[in-house]
Amino acid sequence: MVRTKTGIQGLDKALNGGFPDGNIVLLSGGAGTGKSTLVMQFLLNGASLFGERGLYISTEQTREELHRAADKFGWKLKELEDKSLIKIIYFDITRGDDFLNRVDAMVEEFKPKRIVIDSMTTLTDSLMISGIGEKEAFSMVQVAESVNPIPRTEQVIAKSILYRLIKELKKFKVTTLLTSELPEELKQLSADGITEFIADGVVILHFLGVGSAEFRSMQIRKMRYSWHKRDHVLYDITGKGIEIKEEEELKI
Ligand SMILES: Nc1ncnc2c1ncn2[C@@H]1O[C@H](COP(=O)(O)OP(=O)(O)OP(=O)(O)O)[C@@H](O)[C@H]1O
Ligand SMILES: [Mg+2]
């Protein structure tokens, strides 16, 4: 099986060598758990270690803000952009332009091997508000209602939008990471409670504070077409980014 390595030691091991090529993977976690750091590292490693082009679609941080974060970690983002190995598009959700068409055009032109959408939560919220995809959603709900008298809920609309989005992304056959905000108390695996079922893989980032001690761990909850580790994998965010704590280090 062809795999897309994250280049993050310990994570690739937990993934049995990396993400299966072409998988759409949801990366969920609470605020500040390191979602943006991890996806950026995924693209930077892809570009610098394997010469693979990466597309960063950001709906939260602007290009400048992402540069500021990368600079703090000492990452050569500008250099890789200049070499056309990385491209950042900031999608202003308040403008409501046609997201899918723009992504389509960008993928066609840039031909990335890796795509990141950070974050899926802001994107779906904005698509819901601007009503993009609502026409399709509406007809889908009408069919559903004629069979079963359920109300036309927001969830059904969100589901239809997400299906459409992920179906489009799958067409690219590019390994893709989608971030999603996840409040700690939620039982579901993504902010919308839907993406986890459509995505090929789900990785959850956890944060646990006990007294003055802090623990960060990630867990691969699902990865279609692959064996993967099921236990929690402990990690830290250091000056170099996400670092997985190797098991040997844990045996004190
Ligand atoms: N140089 C550093 N050294 C140690 N920790 C850092 C460093 N830079 C950032 N961090 C940690 O990383 C966290 C931010 O990571 P990141 O932005 O990737 O999280 P996120 O999950 O994307 O957050 P959000 O929910 O806001 O999008 C900070 O809250 C901080 O705890
Ligand atoms: Mg973030």
Side-chain angles (χ1 to χ4, degrees), residues 18 51 68 124 186 191 195 218:
R68 201 189 311 158
T124 42
L186 273 189
T195 315
M218 60 177 88

Side-chain angles (χ1 to χ4, degrees), residues 61-111:
Q61 288 162 290
T62 60
R63 194 169 156 266
E64 286 67 38
E65 286 168 331
L66 289 172
H67 270 271
R68 201 189 311 158
D71 287 348
K72 264 196 62 214
F73 290 116
W75 294 335
K76 309 262 180 276
L77 178 57
K78 178 79 178 53
E79 223 171 79
L80 293 166
E81 275 184 314
D82 290 343
K83 285 187 189 160
S84 275
L85 281 168
I86 288 191
K87 192 175 211 78
I88 297 174
I89 339 174
Y90 172 67
F91 183 76
D92 184 353
I93 54 157
T94 56
R95 281 178 48 208
D97 356 9
D98 191 348
F99 179 78
L100 276 178
N101 282 343
R102 275 186 63 192
V103 173
D104 251 349
M106 198 55 73
V107 172
E108 178 82 10
E109 184 199 317
F110 188 59
K111 300 197 172 22

